[in-house]
Structure formats: C-alpha cells, structure tokens
Amino acid sequence: WALTLLLASIDVLARRYDVRKISATVSLLAATLYLVISTGAVSTQRAYVMALIVFIAIIIGRPALSIRSVAVAACVCLWIHPEAIMGAGFHMSFAAVLALVTVYGAWQNYRPPQFRAGLFRRGVNGFVGLSVTSLVAGVATGGFAALHFHHVSRYGLLANIAAMPIFSLFVMPLGIISVALIPFGLDGPFLMLMGWGLEKLIAIASYIAAWPDAFISVSGAPSWVLVIYAAGFVTLCLATKWNKLIGAGIVGLAILAWVAAPLPKLRISETAELTFWETTNNGKIIYGRRLRADGYGRDMFLERMGESDAELTDFREERGKCDSQACMIEVDGRLISMVTEPEFLNEECDTADLIILTDRRAGPTQRRKCAEKLVDLRALSKHGALDIYFTTDGFKTKVADPASRQTRPWGQRRY
C-alpha cells in the first residue's frame, strides 16, 4: 500500500505503468526475504503462500479467490511438512484464517456498494473491524486450543482488543522503520520505542492473565475427536447457506463425544510411580508418591484431566495404608496394592484388584497366580507407562506412549 501510494504520486510513472504490479513485485520479494530470514513456521509458510497467490494475481491481472488461496497454502504446507496435519500450529493458524475469510466474505454481501464516511466514522469502523476480527479468530482457534492445550482463555477477546492497536499501529510500523534505517545506523531510537511498545503488550497480557479464573481448564479427548471436530469446522466454513447446519451438527457431535470420552483413573510410570485422581466437593485431588518423579509424564496426565495447575498430595500420608511390605489404597471401590518384593505377592493376589510390583520383576509362578492383576517392571519396560481406566467389571490398561509414537526417531525408548 505504501509503495503504491508513493509510485502513484509520480505522475509520469503512474500514467505509463500499472504501479500496483510494480508494488506487488517488490512486496513479493520482501515477503520472500522475510520467509528466508524467519524460522519458517507453519503460520509463516501459510501467510507467505497466500500473499504469493494474491501478488501473482495482481501481476497477471487476475482476481485472487481467498478460499482457494487458503486451500493452496494448506496443500503447500502439508507437502513441505506432512507431520503438521496433527499439529496445533497448523490447526490454529488455518482455522483463524479460514474463519476470517468466510466471515468477511459473507460480510461483503451485506455492505453497501459505495461506502463513504468521515474521520470519526472510519475510526468506529476500524474498531468494529478489529473487534470482529478478534472475536472470529478467538472463537475459531478456541476449540483447537482446548483440544491441544486443555484450557480456554476467558478474556482473550478483551486482551486482543486492548493489545492489537498498540501492535498494529505502533510496534509493527516502528519495526519496519527500524529495519529500513539499519544501513544508516539510525535504528537505535526506533528499536527502543518498539521495545517500549512490546513491554506494554506484555504488561497488558500479564495483567489480564492474572484476573481470577482467566483460564478455563478442560479435560483431554481422544485424537479421533479432534478429527471429527476439524471436519465439522471446515464443513461449517465452506458449506453454503443451510448446509452449514451439517457442519454445526458435526461440531456438536464432536463436543458430545469429547464430554463423554472416558478418562484414565490412574497412571503408572515406567519406574512404577503411581498417580491417580479423585473428585471431591472442592474439585479433583491428585495423588502421587514421590512428587518429583515422573515429572513430564505426570504433567501430561494432569493436563488430560483438565487439572494442569493442581497440587499433588502424597497418597501415603492421606490415603495409603502402608507397611514394610506393601501400600494398600482404595480408589472408587477398587483395592490397589503396591508391593516392593515378589515374595509378598501371594497374599496380595487374593485380596487386591490391581497389584503394582515397584522394585523387581515377578517370577513365572507369581505371574501365573496374579494373572491380569499384576503390573511389574517387566511389563513397564516392555510397553512404557500405562494408563488405567476403570470399567464396570474391572479395569482396562492402555499404553500411554503407543507403538505408533515409539517408532518415530524422537519417540524411541532407550534402556
């Protein structure tokens, strides 16, 4: 826009050439340079491909269809990084853009063909546009954020409305001016002002994040719920008129499946550390044994429960009946026994519903006697950490890190 305005001011040049094509060519080179010097994240690749389509359309004199540009950008990003199909960055970036293109495309149909307004009216329209943009992007990314990160920001819209004017009208222009003045050594004062603006953004975000109940924690969902939700979201955006109800129905179905999905009651780490939760009048209480052990796995377990900030309680002090041989814990009517040595298994196999052998592997005799009740270091070393689901007739065991992940180079376990 700035380059077009500058070139249009040169009368001889503007009369002879289409200055928009010149501006689009230079802007395309600038966008390419930014892509090269940036980290090349999925959101950056998406923005670059969409800008590339728009600039090329201007150069060759063809209209650029926004929905198609989003689709092309998605295909290019997945061609470069196919693993991004299940990533939070890919989902949230494309969800926000797809929703914005859909909403503003529909909005254009209801705006008057010729729109003129004074300075005050333009300011009001700008604020309304910013608010709609923040609302649409927040709603579009909120579901994916909850599915990936297990929490929703309650005041996200307010934070965006407060921060975006500073970022768009102050920080970014100063950044562009600073880059342009680097060859002349005059960038320092502008970078200082830009840093001041960024400090104000952080202060706004920190202030709003400190409000009571700023984040709503939600429980995790199986990966197939994410697939259904994404399919419904895309259908809702791309369908026409009443067909959008199909997309809304699919999204509603995914949310119902999300709410009804069972949650594991216990986690047994690779080193036989037990973590479990119970619901009380004050919410969920998380119990563990050695509170510093299995830190990362326990954090992931707590996120799936929707209790990422919960404090852990040592079950030996609150719930366990422990002696030198074993710890007995009752969870939802099931008796769980944690045994240190195999010779103590014979008695526990007759009384406990689930037995965890913490320090050694069980021998073949004890393994046959305890049948499906026993979890020892042999099973944990073979499969890794386990999630335990309670069922009406007992319990179900599921590997926390499935084989499909262990086959990846970064997921292979070493002993």
Side-chain angles (χ1 to χ4, degrees), residues 333-395:
R334 275 84 167 181
L335 192 60
I336 302 170
S337 177
M338 300 186 66
V339 183
T340 57
E341 299 294 337
E343 53 265 27
F344 304 143
L345 287 174
N346 293 331
E347 180 180 352
E348 304 300 330
C349 287
D350 296 329
T351 57
D353 297 300
L354 176 64
I355 305 163
I356 305 172
L357 182 57
T358 60
D359 294 346
R360 294 174 58 187
R361 300 186 179 188
T365 303
Q366 292 93 347
R367 192 176 302 279
R368 285 193 299 269
K369 179 177 178 58
C370 293
E372 301 296 330
K373 294 182 178 181
L374 178 64
V375 176
D376 66 349
L377 292 182
R378 178 182 178 183
L380 296 173
S381 62
K382 180 179 180 181
H383 302 291
L386 300 176
D387 290 334
I388 308 298
Y389 296 79
F390 283 177
T391 61
T392 55
D393 55 351
F395 63 90

Side-chain angles (χ1 to χ4, degrees), residues 18 130 182 223 232 239 275 301 319 322 332 382 395 405:
D18 187 348
L130 177 64
I182 285 177
S223 56
T275 303
F301 181 78
R319 297 292 309 280
C322 302
D332 288 358
K382 180 179 180 181
F395 63 90
R405 287 182 54 87

Side-chain angles (χ1 to χ4, degrees), residues 259-331:
V259 174
L263 295 174
K265 196 69 180 181
L266 297 87
R267 170 184 167 84
I268 306 175
S269 73
E270 296 182 11
T271 55
E273 294 295 335
L274 176 66
T275 303
F276 64 95
W277 60 271
E278 282 190 330
T279 302
T280 65
N281 294 332
N282 297 324
K284 290 188 180 73
I285 299 180
I286 310 298
Y287 293 96
R289 186 170 65 131
R290 290 187 296 176
L291 304 184
R292 294 184 179 181
D294 190 34
Y296 177 76
R298 182 180 284 130
D299 289 343
M300 296 299 100
F301 181 78
L302 295 182
E303 280 194 9
R304 292 175 62 189
M305 300 304 108
E307 299 290 336
S308 57
D309 57 347
E311 294 185 3
L312 294 173
T313 302
D314 192 335
F315 61 75
R316 292 174 299 181
E317 300 177 359
E318 299 289 337
R319 297 292 309 280
K321 299 178 181 179
C322 302
D323 55 24
S324 59
Q325 298 181 2
C327 261
M328 303 294 293
I329 310 160
E330 184 177 351
V331 181

Side-chain angles (χ1 to χ4, degrees), residues 170-183 186-187 190-191:
F170 188 80
V171 173
M172 288 303 295
L174 286 174
I176 296 174
I177 295 173
S178 301
V179 171
L181 294 179
I182 285 177
L186 302 176
D187 55 303
F190 295 94
L191 287 175

Side-chain angles (χ1 to χ4, degrees), residues 8 14 65 132 164 168-169 174 232 278 289 326 363 368 399:
L65 299 178
V132 172
M164 284 306 295
S168 301
L169 303 178
L174 286 174
E278 282 190 330
R289 186 170 65 131
R368 285 193 299 269
V399 178

